[in-house]
Amino acid sequence: MPAIDDAHPDEQRPGEHPEVLPAPAPQGPAIEQPAKLIRIAAMIREMLEDVRQSKPDEAGRRRVREVYQRALTGLKEGVSKELQDELDTLTIPLDSHSSESEIRLAQAQLVGWLEGLFQGIQAALWSQHMQARAEIEEMRRRRGLPPAPGTGPPREPGQYL
């Protein structure tokens, strides 16, 4: 039986298949309906801008409260239980006695939460992309292949070939 060479564990041996790494598992809370969240965020942002620019009467404030409550319900349908709980702890309940400034504050808080959620999604996607890219480069290195174009050291100015 031939001896196993442990001195170079990263080198691929003849007849051996390269290690296949599993895809990274999704991290963080799940977003089940991203398109719905984006639509609700755009609507809430517009409502907030309208409330800032006008002075709604009682009927207008009632309508804003109704839309706000429906938006919260819709948001909760599009996210995981973990994010639902987070949203519950951060949102302000509005009732018939809520002032115009309380309505603006509640909407601004909701818009801020949504923007943070979207930034978190972007950061998670970027992290997954970078992790996958590093894994591919590691597999290329193990096989003795040159780095993928655009991933090697920067070229000197004027070097075109």
Side-chain angles (χ1 to χ4, degrees), residues 41-72:
M43 179 197 63
I44 293 292
R45 189 177 295 120
E46 287 299 315
M47 278 180 46
L48 178 59
E49 200 56 40
D50 286 348
V51 170
R52 283 181 181 158
Q53 292 177 3
S54 65
K55 204 142 173 67
D57 59 7
E58 183 51 42
R61 285 194 297 273
R62 185 179 66 247
R63 180 73 177 136
V64 168
R65 286 191 303 268
E66 290 170 5
V67 172
Y68 175 81
Q69 291 303 326
R70 283 193 301 216
L72 281 176

Side-chain angles (χ1 to χ4, degrees), residues 4 17-18 21-22 31 49 58 64 78 82 97 117 119-122 125 127 129 134 136 139 143 152 157:
I4 297 175
H17 297 287
L21 301 172
I31 307 301
E49 200 56 40
E58 183 51 42
V64 168
E82 181 181 336
H97 303 295
L117 180 66
Q119 289 173 0
I121 292 168
Q122 289 175 332
L125 289 173
S127 174
H129 169 76
I136 289 169
M139 285 190 283
R143 287 186 172 182

Side-chain angles (χ1 to χ4, degrees), residues 4-51:
I4 297 175
D5 181 13
D6 289 331
H8 302 287
D10 290 340
E11 290 182 14
Q12 184 178 344
R13 294 179 182 94
E16 188 178 289
H17 297 287
E19 179 182 349
V20 177
L21 301 172
Q27 298 172 343
I31 307 301
E32 297 158 5
Q33 300 176 27
K36 183 176 187 176
L37 295 181
I38 292 169
R39 287 191 306 273
I40 291 171
M43 179 197 63
I44 293 292
R45 189 177 295 120
E46 287 299 315
M47 278 180 46
L48 178 59
E49 200 56 40
D50 286 348
V51 170

Side-chain angles (χ1 to χ4, degrees), residues 1 21 44 51 62 70-71 75 92 94 99 105-106 109 114-115 121 127 149 153-154 156:
M1 180 171 187
L21 301 172
I44 293 292
V51 170
R62 185 179 66 247
R70 283 193 301 216
L75 286 173
I92 300 169
L94 298 177
S99 68
L105 178 61
Q109 203 171 15
L114 285 165
E115 288 175 356
I121 292 168
S127 174
E156 295 293 322

Side-chain angles (χ1 to χ4, degrees), residues 55-117:
K55 204 142 173 67
D57 59 7
E58 183 51 42
R61 285 194 297 273
R62 185 179 66 247
R63 180 73 177 136
V64 168
R65 286 191 303 268
E66 290 170 5
V67 172
Y68 175 81
Q69 291 303 326
R70 283 193 301 216
L72 281 176
T73 301
L75 286 173
K76 289 177 184 178
E77 291 171 358
V79 298
S80 67
K81 176 71 171 128
E82 181 181 336
L83 286 173
Q84 289 174 20
D85 293 343
E86 180 180 313
L87 190 55
D88 282 338
T89 63
L90 297 175
T91 53
I92 300 169
L94 298 177
D95 58 23
S96 61
H97 303 295
S98 298
S99 68
E100 183 181 330
S101 61
E102 288 175 313
I103 291 171
R104 281 198 312 261
L105 178 61
Q107 288 178 311
Q109 203 171 15
L110 187 55
V111 168
W113 183 83
L114 285 165
E115 288 175 356
L117 180 66

Side-chain angles (χ1 to χ4, degrees), residues 128-145:
Q128 288 175 357
H129 169 76
M130 294 308 291
Q131 181 180 2
R133 188 172 178 178
E135 290 171 359
I136 289 169
E137 284 305 314
E138 177 62 21
M139 285 190 283
R140 290 179 70 87
R141 186 190 66 75
R142 285 183 181 175
R143 287 186 172 182
L145 299 172

